[in-house]
Amino acid sequence: MNIGQVIDPVAISLGPLQIHWYGIIMGSAVMIALWLAIREGRQHGLDSELFLDMMIWVIPAAIVGARLYYVLFEWDYYLQNPGDIIAVWKGGLAIHGGLIGALIAGFVFVKKRDVVFLQMADIVAPSILIGQAIGRWGNFINQEAHGGEVSRRFLENLYLPDWLIEQMNIQGVYYHPTFLYESLWNLAGFFILLGLRKWNPRRGEIFFSYLIWYSLGRFFIEGLRTDSLTFDGPAWLASLLNSIWTPMNVLFEPGVMADGNIRIAQLVSLGLVLVGGILIVMRRVRNKTVEPYLNKKESVSG
């Protein structure tokens, strides 16, 4: 890697075989997330093989869900180009779709293994966040999922290293490193969830807190991006989303939408923030006997 030059997305070339940085980064994110989940699972008396088996279900479901979600909202294009539907190497994996696919597969899996879903969701929530934090660097290497145009001085004022600044130089234009904003947000959330474990909240609240934290950051960061999946919705809804995003105007300009007036990721994120908050409140009000994250037979991990 040469400082001041764009990073080659291909990490290793062995004849016709090419290994991309994106794959290495995503694979590393999965392995680190899995290791952390296994480590925490031991505190709950859960065997490591349970998590390894679950990954066999969850990873394919996440990839399929991420692809189907993207294709669904870009259906006009794929209707004309059906051969590209399976061409994931051309890009087009939506995190929200991956999360939906993973949750569905995870729910079915833990039911078959007679494990409480919210217990497992609490255990893996910090792992999901650290995986997302690492995974965003794959977008960095591919020079994708960025925001609108900015000046080099803007990036220098963020005290970013030259190699990162130059990677945000795409055909002579510098762009918002939204991948970095989201990666740092997720990293902060990872440590917050670890701290929440020490408090030993009620079962489910770590996972619900993950939904709130990740979605809150995604809502505001998404508004900076120029590649958002969008649709034409009612004016009042677009006005509502824009109003909520308004505080960001103090420092930033919103990214331009190619079409549509509503960013789907913002709408979904807002919904998840509300769902997470409502579930925490309702379960505390209606049920005062919800089990804690760790019961008396278990000990909080370090």
Side-chain angles (χ1 to χ4, degrees):
M1 183 189 305
N2 294 321
I3 302 301
Q5 296 183 1
V6 173
I7 301 170
D8 189 338
V10 178
I12 303 172
S13 293
L14 299 173
L17 177 64
Q18 293 185 332
I19 301 176
H20 289 246
W21 280 112
Y22 186 89
I24 294 174
I25 291 170
M26 296 304 293
S28 299
V30 170
M31 294 306 296
I32 291 172
L34 177 60
W35 173 74
L36 288 171
I38 290 174
R39 181 173 179 271
E40 182 63 16
R42 293 195 185 107
Q43 306 298 320
H44 298 259
L46 300 178
D47 191 87
S48 60
E49 290 188 6
L50 176 70
F51 293 90
L52 294 171
D53 291 344
M54 185 173 68
M55 295 300 287
I56 297 175
W57 285 57
V58 168
I59 291 179
I63 294 173
V64 172
R67 185 58 175 173
L68 288 179
Y69 186 98
Y70 184 86
V71 170
L72 175 64
F73 290 109
E74 292 287 334
W75 184 242
D76 288 343
Y77 170 81
Y78 289 104
L79 185 62
Q80 301 297 322
N81 302 275
D84 283 351
I85 290 177
I86 62 172
V88 294
W89 53 89
K90 293 183 179 181
L93 294 175
I95 288 181
H96 280 132
L99 182 60
I100 292 170
L103 288 177
I104 292 174
F107 181 81
V108 174
F109 174 82
V110 298
K111 286 296 182 183
K112 286 181 173 291
R113 293 299 185 92
D114 198 27
V115 176
V116 179
F117 173 74
L118 285 180
Q119 179 189 30
M120 180 64 78
D122 279 344
I123 291 171
V124 302
S127 294
I128 296 173
L129 260 183
I130 195 64
Q132 289 174 313
I134 296 170
R136 275 303 180 193
W137 286 85
N139 298 132
F140 164 70
I141 296 294
N142 285 351
Q143 295 183 307
E144 60 190 9
H146 56 71
E149 182 178 344
V150 296
S151 66
R152 180 182 176 87
R153 180 175 293 276
F154 173 87
L155 298 177
E156 290 173 345
N157 288 339
L158 296 179
Y159 299 100
L160 302 179
D162 284 341
W163 59 268
L164 196 155
I165 291 176
E166 287 308 315
Q167 192 69 9
M168 299 313 300
N169 181 351
I170 304 173
Q171 297 181 346
V173 178
Y174 291 95
Y175 292 94
H176 262 301
T178 48
F179 88 92
L180 178 63
Y181 306 155
E182 190 169 327
S183 180
L184 293 176
W185 178 265
N186 291 341
L187 182 62
F190 168 73
F191 288 110
I192 288 173
L193 292 188
L194 292 186
L196 190 57
R197 282 178 176 172
K198 299 290 186 178
W199 179 48
N200 200 21
R202 299 184 180 194
R203 179 174 290 171
E205 291 186 354
I206 293 177
F207 175 66
F208 299 145
S209 297
Y210 156 74
L211 292 180
I212 294 170
W213 181 267
Y214 169 69
S215 300
L216 190 63
R218 180 64 187 271
F219 176 88
F220 287 104
I221 295 169
E222 185 69 22
L224 297 171
R225 289 174 57 170
T226 58
D227 62 343
S228 299
L229 293 173
T230 62
F231 71 96
D232 286 310
W236 68 265
L237 181 56
S239 178
L240 174 63
L241 296 177
N242 290 335
S243 296
I244 297 174
W245 199 84
T246 296
M248 294 287 284
N249 284 321
V250 176
L251 297 174
F252 307 112
E253 293 184 5
V256 176
M257 288 187 279
D259 51 28
N261 65 342
I262 293 176
R263 300 175 192 267
I264 297 168
Q266 282 192 318
L267 184 60
V268 173
S269 294
L270 181 60
L272 290 177
V273 170
L274 293 175
V275 167
I278 290 172
L279 287 174
I280 289 176
V281 173
M282 286 183 60
R283 294 173 82 247
R284 280 187 168 264
V285 170
R286 292 186 176 183
N287 192 343
K288 301 184 182 300
T289 60
V290 176
E291 287 190 41
Y293 173 67
L294 287 170
N295 59 43
K296 293 181 180 179
K297 296 181 181 180
E298 301 165 333
S299 60
V300 178
S301 63

